[in-house]
């Protein structure tokens, strides 16, 4: 999976799954799109991510809200809190024919996509993020970033993901982006666990990403 994480998470390249309808009758293609259970990004009202997640849990709707831990200072002292890694967004796994169950949840605004058609995300990408956060990978929001030295993570729970390499205070971080929602996150990695992405491979990734984005822009 080719990801870049930035504050407002955006998974670069492979976080958008193509919806091909030209190679089969539109009715069959649309039936497949609306009946297949897939992961989607959902946009929420400001600071309603956790509340939406609670409603999803109560209604038995599969979802994923990436969180990170930080320390906030209030009048009564410093407290450790968990905040959304991608502010304003939550991931939900549904069939589009059941989207009303999601849309009617208080605080949920819409599913993210193009031309009014929600665009699905690869399940492998979601699973990698889940595994990484479950195993305690240090991650935090980061401004959406597209320029820099692109590397691939070769070891650990985020193996196979690509992003932009940062070096700070003798530490290596990779900014992974979810382009569909234009958000990113930075994760700490060992220098030995990343390798540069060759230009030839990068061209292929960018070409595929462009086609996938175009494929999502289909008219229903």
């Amino acid at each position: 999976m080719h990801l870049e994480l930035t504050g407002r998470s955006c998974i670069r390249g492979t976080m958008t799954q193509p919806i091909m309808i030209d190679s089969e009758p539109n009715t069959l293609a649309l039936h497949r799109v609306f009946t297949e259970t897939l992961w989607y990004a959902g946009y929420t009202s400001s600071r309603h991510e956790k509340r939406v997640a609670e409603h999803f849990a109560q209604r038995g709707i599969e979802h994923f809200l990436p969180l990170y831990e930080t320390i906030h200072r209030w009048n009564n002292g410093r407290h450790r809190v968990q905040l959304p890694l991608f502010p304003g967004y939550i991931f939900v796994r549904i069939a589009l024919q059941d989207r009303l169950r999601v849309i009617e949840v208080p605080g949920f605004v819409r599913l993210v996509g193009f031309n009014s058609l929600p665009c699905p995300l690869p399940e492998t990408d979601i699973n990698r993020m889940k595994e990484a956060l479950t195993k305690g990978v240090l991650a935090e929001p980061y401004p959406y970033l597209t320029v820099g030295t692109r590397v691939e993570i070769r070891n650990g729970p985020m193996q196979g993901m690509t992003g932009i390499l940062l070096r700070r205070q003798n530490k290596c971080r990779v900014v992974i982006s979810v382009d569909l929602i234009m958000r990113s996150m930075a994760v700490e990695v060992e220098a030995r666990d990343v390798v540069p992405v060759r230009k030839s491979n990068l061209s292929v990734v960018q070409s595929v990403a462009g086609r996938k984005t175009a494929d999502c822009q289909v008219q229903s």
Side-chain angles (χ1 to χ4, degrees):
M1 147 182 163
H2 301 83
L3 271 216
E4 259 174 37
L5 294 179
T6 28
R8 257 186 131 160
S9 195
C10 170
I11 291 179
R12 174 159 305 275
T14 57
M15 264 304 245
T16 54
Q17 182 171 314
I19 301 176
M20 304 297 293
I21 66 172
D22 294 335
S23 60
E24 56 183 316
N26 285 2
T27 53
L28 293 178
L30 290 176
H31 176 76
R32 175 174 59 82
V33 169
F34 279 88
T35 58
E36 188 175 358
T37 301
L38 300 169
W39 282 99
Y40 296 90
Y43 182 60
T44 72
S45 299
S46 178
R47 300 184 179 182
H48 278 64
E49 303 92 346
K50 289 185 178 181
R51 186 170 300 178
V52 169
E54 291 175 357
H55 280 290
F56 283 167
Q58 294 170 1
R59 301 179 186 213
I61 299 173
E62 187 175 356
H63 64 282
F64 172 45
L65 177 61
L67 301 172
Y68 74 102
E69 197 170 81
T70 186
I71 296 177
H72 273 201
R73 185 189 301 273
W74 283 291
N75 292 336
N76 59 348
R78 292 154 55 100
H79 297 273
R80 193 174 296 275
V81 296
Q82 286 191 323
L83 300 176
L85 192 54
F86 305 128
Y89 292 93
I90 188 171
F91 300 109
V92 60
R93 188 170 183 265
I94 59 167
L96 287 184
Q97 63 183 6
D98 301 323
R99 64 189 181 281
L100 185 60
R101 296 180 59 208
V102 171
I103 296 174
E104 66 184 7
V105 168
F108 188 88
V109 179
R110 59 180 172 82
L111 294 171
V112 181
F114 302 98
N115 296 331
S116 300
L117 182 65
C119 197
L121 306 173
E123 186 169 359
T124 54
D125 293 353
I126 299 296
N127 289 339
R128 280 174 176 164
M129 280 197 290
K130 280 184 175 182
E131 181 182 2
L133 295 176
T134 299
K135 292 186 175 181
V137 171
L138 296 179
E140 64 181 11
Y142 197 87
Y144 185 52
L145 184 64
T146 60
V147 178
T149 301
R150 187 170 295 279
V151 297
E152 179 181 350
I153 301 175
R154 287 295 181 90
N155 292 300
M158 304 192 82
Q159 180 178 350
M161 299 178 79
T162 65
I164 304 297
L165 180 65
L166 299 177
R167 292 182 183 274
R168 287 185 178 177
Q169 299 178 346
N170 299 322
K171 292 184 179 180
C172 288
R173 306 169 85 196
V174 176
V175 176
I176 300 177
S177 300
V178 184
D179 287 346
L180 180 62
I181 57 176
M182 297 187 67
R183 296 285 175 129
S184 304
M185 72 178 182
V187 298
E188 288 193 7
V189 298
E190 296 291 337
R192 63 177 179 272
D193 291 339
V194 298
V195 296
V197 175
R198 296 178 180 177
K199 289 185 178 181
S200 58
N201 293 341
L202 179 58
S203 297
V204 172
V205 169
Q206 291 175 333
S207 176
V208 172
R211 290 200 302 270
K212 287 183 177 182
T213 300
D215 288 335
C216 285
Q217 297 176 343
V218 295
Q219 300 283 351
S220 58

